[in-house]
PDB file of all heavy atoms in Angstrom:
ATOM      1  N   GLY A  75       7.852  25.151  18.898  1.00 96.00           N
ATOM      2  CA  GLY A  75       8.039  26.164  19.940  1.00 96.00           C
ATOM      3  C   GLY A  75       9.450  26.194  20.492  1.00 96.00           C
ATOM      4  O   GLY A  75      10.284  25.341  20.191  1.00 96.00           O
ATOM      5  N   GLY A  76       9.694  27.212  21.292  1.00 97.00           N
ATOM      6  CA  GLY A  76      11.006  27.384  21.920  1.00 97.00           C
ATOM      7  C   GLY A  76      11.165  28.809  22.397  1.00 97.00           C
ATOM      8  O   GLY A  76      10.363  29.692  22.035  1.00 97.00           O
ATOM      9  N   PRO A  77      12.194  29.069  23.204  1.00 96.00           N
ATOM     10  CA  PRO A  77      12.358  30.397  23.830  1.00 96.00           C
ATOM     11  C   PRO A  77      12.467  31.533  22.820  1.00 96.00           C
ATOM     12  O   PRO A  77      12.024  32.652  23.092  1.00 96.00           O
ATOM     13  CB  PRO A  77      13.656  30.267  24.636  1.00 96.00           C
ATOM     14  CG  PRO A  77      14.208  28.916  24.368  1.00 96.00           C
ATOM     15  CD  PRO A  77      13.208  28.105  23.619  1.00 96.00           C
ATOM     16  N   LYS A  78      13.006  31.240  21.630  1.00 95.00           N
ATOM     17  CA  LYS A  78      13.180  32.272  20.608  1.00 95.00           C
ATOM     18  C   LYS A  78      11.862  32.966  20.245  1.00 95.00           C
ATOM     19  O   LYS A  78      11.856  34.134  19.872  1.00 95.00           O
ATOM     20  CB  LYS A  78      13.785  31.606  19.366  1.00 95.00           C
ATOM     21  CG  LYS A  78      14.120  32.544  18.250  1.00 95.00           C
ATOM     22  CD  LYS A  78      14.800  31.796  17.124  1.00 95.00           C
ATOM     23  CE  LYS A  78      14.998  32.719  15.932  1.00 95.00           C
ATOM     24  NZ  LYS A  78      15.393  31.976  14.734  1.00 95.00           N
ATOM     25  N   TRP A  79      10.752  32.211  20.343  1.00 96.00           N
ATOM     26  CA  TRP A  79       9.462  32.761  19.894  1.00 96.00           C
ATOM     27  C   TRP A  79       8.515  33.045  21.063  1.00 96.00           C
ATOM     28  O   TRP A  79       7.342  33.359  20.857  1.00 96.00           O
ATOM     29  CB  TRP A  79       8.803  31.779  18.912  1.00 96.00           C
ATOM     30  CG  TRP A  79       9.700  31.445  17.768  1.00 96.00           C
ATOM     31  CD1 TRP A  79       9.948  32.215  16.664  1.00 96.00           C
ATOM     32  CD2 TRP A  79      10.501  30.259  17.626  1.00 96.00           C
ATOM     33  NE1 TRP A  79      10.854  31.577  15.849  1.00 96.00           N
ATOM     34  CE2 TRP A  79      11.212  30.387  16.408  1.00 96.00           C
ATOM     35  CE3 TRP A  79      10.701  29.117  18.400  1.00 96.00           C
ATOM     36  CZ2 TRP A  79      12.099  29.402  15.960  1.00 96.00           C
ATOM     37  CZ3 TRP A  79      11.572  28.150  17.951  1.00 96.00           C
ATOM     38  CH2 TRP A  79      12.255  28.293  16.746  1.00 96.00           C
ATOM     39  N   ASP A  80       9.027  32.919  22.310  1.00 92.00           N
ATOM     40  CA  ASP A  80       8.161  33.034  23.495  1.00 92.00           C
ATOM     41  C   ASP A  80       7.543  34.409  23.693  1.00 92.00           C
ATOM     42  O   ASP A  80       6.494  34.531  24.328  1.00 92.00           O
ATOM     43  CB  ASP A  80       8.954  32.677  24.771  1.00 92.00           C
ATOM     44  CG  ASP A  80       8.896  31.187  25.053  1.00 92.00           C
ATOM     45  OD1 ASP A  80       8.153  30.498  24.340  1.00 92.00           O
ATOM     46  OD2 ASP A  80       9.612  30.731  25.965  1.00 92.00           O
ATOM     47  N   THR A  81       8.185  35.445  23.176  1.00 93.00           N
ATOM     48  CA  THR A  81       7.674  36.784  23.466  1.00 93.00           C
ATOM     49  C   THR A  81       6.741  37.310  22.362  1.00 93.00           C
ATOM     50  O   THR A  81       6.264  38.435  22.439  1.00 93.00           O
ATOM     51  CB  THR A  81       8.847  37.775  23.626  1.00 93.00           C
ATOM     52  OG1 THR A  81       9.702  37.629  22.489  1.00 93.00           O
ATOM     53  CG2 THR A  81       9.629  37.505  24.906  1.00 93.00           C
ATOM     54  N   LEU A  82       6.492  36.486  21.345  1.00 93.00           N
ATOM     55  CA  LEU A  82       5.597  36.932  20.260  1.00 93.00           C
ATOM     56  C   LEU A  82       4.154  37.000  20.765  1.00 93.00           C
ATOM     57  O   LEU A  82       3.782  36.256  21.677  1.00 93.00           O
ATOM     58  CB  LEU A  82       5.670  35.951  19.087  1.00 93.00           C
ATOM     59  CG  LEU A  82       6.984  35.933  18.312  1.00 93.00           C
ATOM     60  CD1 LEU A  82       6.982  34.801  17.293  1.00 93.00           C
ATOM     61  CD2 LEU A  82       7.177  37.269  17.590  1.00 93.00           C
ATOM     62  N   PRO A  83       3.307  37.856  20.162  1.00 90.00           N
ATOM     63  CA  PRO A  83       1.897  37.881  20.567  1.00 90.00           C
ATOM     64  C   PRO A  83       1.211  36.542  20.260  1.00 90.00           C
ATOM     65  O   PRO A  83       1.653  35.799  19.367  1.00 90.00           O
ATOM     66  CB  PRO A  83       1.302  39.006  19.711  1.00 90.00           C
ATOM     67  CG  PRO A  83       2.297  39.283  18.642  1.00 90.00           C
ATOM     68  CD  PRO A  83       3.629  38.838  19.136  1.00 90.00           C
ATOM     69  N   GLY A  84       0.138  36.243  21.021  1.00 83.00           N
ATOM     70  CA  GLY A  84      -0.545  34.946  20.964  1.00 83.00           C
ATOM     71  C   GLY A  84      -0.796  34.408  19.560  1.00 83.00           C
ATOM     72  O   GLY A  84      -0.504  33.246  19.283  1.00 83.00           O
ATOM     73  N   HIS A  85      -1.302  35.258  18.655  1.00 84.00           N
ATOM     74  CA  HIS A  85      -1.686  34.747  17.334  1.00 84.00           C
ATOM     75  C   HIS A  85      -0.474  34.386  16.475  1.00 84.00           C
ATOM     76  O   HIS A  85      -0.610  33.760  15.422  1.00 84.00           O
ATOM     77  CB  HIS A  85      -2.580  35.766  16.612  1.00 84.00           C
ATOM     78  CG  HIS A  85      -1.869  37.024  16.200  1.00 84.00           C
ATOM     79  ND1 HIS A  85      -1.502  37.994  17.116  1.00 84.00           N
ATOM     80  CD2 HIS A  85      -1.445  37.462  14.996  1.00 84.00           C
ATOM     81  CE1 HIS A  85      -0.883  38.979  16.475  1.00 84.00           C
ATOM     82  NE2 HIS A  85      -0.838  38.676  15.192  1.00 84.00           N
ATOM     83  N   LEU A  86       0.723  34.800  16.923  1.00 91.00           N
ATOM     84  CA  LEU A  86       1.937  34.486  16.151  1.00 91.00           C
ATOM     85  C   LEU A  86       2.801  33.425  16.824  1.00 91.00           C
ATOM     86  O   LEU A  86       3.894  33.116  16.367  1.00 91.00           O
ATOM     87  CB  LEU A  86       2.777  35.755  15.950  1.00 91.00           C
ATOM     88  CG  LEU A  86       2.296  36.706  14.867  1.00 91.00           C
ATOM     89  CD1 LEU A  86       3.203  37.911  14.785  1.00 91.00           C
ATOM     90  CD2 LEU A  86       2.218  36.002  13.510  1.00 91.00           C
ATOM     91  N   ARG A  87       2.325  32.866  17.955  1.00 92.00           N
ATOM     92  CA  ARG A  87       3.123  31.871  18.671  1.00 92.00           C
ATOM     93  C   ARG A  87       3.166  30.557  17.880  1.00 92.00           C
ATOM     94  O   ARG A  87       2.202  30.200  17.190  1.00 92.00           O
ATOM     95  CB  ARG A  87       2.511  31.593  20.059  1.00 92.00           C
ATOM     96  CG  ARG A  87       2.567  32.772  21.019  1.00 92.00           C
ATOM     97  CD  ARG A  87       3.946  32.958  21.601  1.00 92.00           C
ATOM     98  NE  ARG A  87       4.352  31.822  22.417  1.00 92.00           N
ATOM     99  CZ  ARG A  87       4.197  31.767  23.730  1.00 92.00           C
ATOM    100  NH1 ARG A  87       3.651  32.761  24.387  1.00 92.00           N
ATOM    101  NH2 ARG A  87       4.585  30.695  24.415  1.00 92.00           N
ATOM    102  N   PRO A  88       4.272  29.795  17.979  1.00 95.00           N
ATOM    103  CA  PRO A  88       4.389  28.542  17.223  1.00 95.00           C
ATOM    104  C   PRO A  88       3.231  27.571  17.463  1.00 95.00           C
ATOM    105  O   PRO A  88       2.777  26.890  16.542  1.00 95.00           O
ATOM    106  CB  PRO A  88       5.700  27.941  17.752  1.00 95.00           C
ATOM    107  CG  PRO A  88       6.479  29.096  18.274  1.00 95.00           C
ATOM    108  CD  PRO A  88       5.490  30.111  18.743  1.00 95.00           C
ATOM    109  N   GLU A  89       2.725  27.522  18.736  1.00 91.00           N
ATOM    110  CA  GLU A  89       1.649  26.575  19.073  1.00 91.00           C
ATOM    111  C   GLU A  89       0.370  26.822  18.275  1.00 91.00           C
ATOM    112  O   GLU A  89      -0.465  25.933  18.136  1.00 91.00           O
ATOM    113  CB  GLU A  89       1.320  26.656  20.578  1.00 91.00           C
ATOM    114  CG  GLU A  89       2.440  26.210  21.498  1.00 91.00           C
ATOM    115  CD  GLU A  89       3.521  27.276  21.734  1.00 91.00           C
ATOM    116  OE1 GLU A  89       3.435  28.366  21.128  1.00 91.00           O
ATOM    117  OE2 GLU A  89       4.449  26.997  22.513  1.00 91.00           O
ATOM    118  N   ARG A  90       0.229  28.041  17.741  1.00 90.00           N
ATOM    119  CA  ARG A  90      -0.942  28.354  16.898  1.00 90.00           C
ATOM    120  C   ARG A  90      -1.039  27.389  15.710  1.00 90.00           C
ATOM    121  O   ARG A  90      -2.107  27.123  15.180  1.00 90.00           O
ATOM    122  CB  ARG A  90      -0.837  29.779  16.361  1.00 90.00           C
ATOM    123  CG  ARG A  90      -1.329  30.806  17.313  1.00 90.00           C
ATOM    124  CD  ARG A  90      -2.825  30.914  17.227  1.00 90.00           C
ATOM    125  NE  ARG A  90      -3.325  31.327  18.527  1.00 90.00           N
ATOM    126  CZ  ARG A  90      -4.590  31.565  18.782  1.00 90.00           C
ATOM    127  NH1 ARG A  90      -5.488  31.421  17.852  1.00 90.00           N
ATOM    128  NH2 ARG A  90      -4.967  31.931  19.971  1.00 90.00           N
TER     129      ARG A  90
END
Side-chain angles (χ1 to χ4, degrees):
K78 184 176 174 192
W79 305 281
D80 272 353
T81 51
L82 291 173
H85 69 286
L86 282 180
R87 294 283 296 265
E89 295 81 357
R90 276 278 151 177

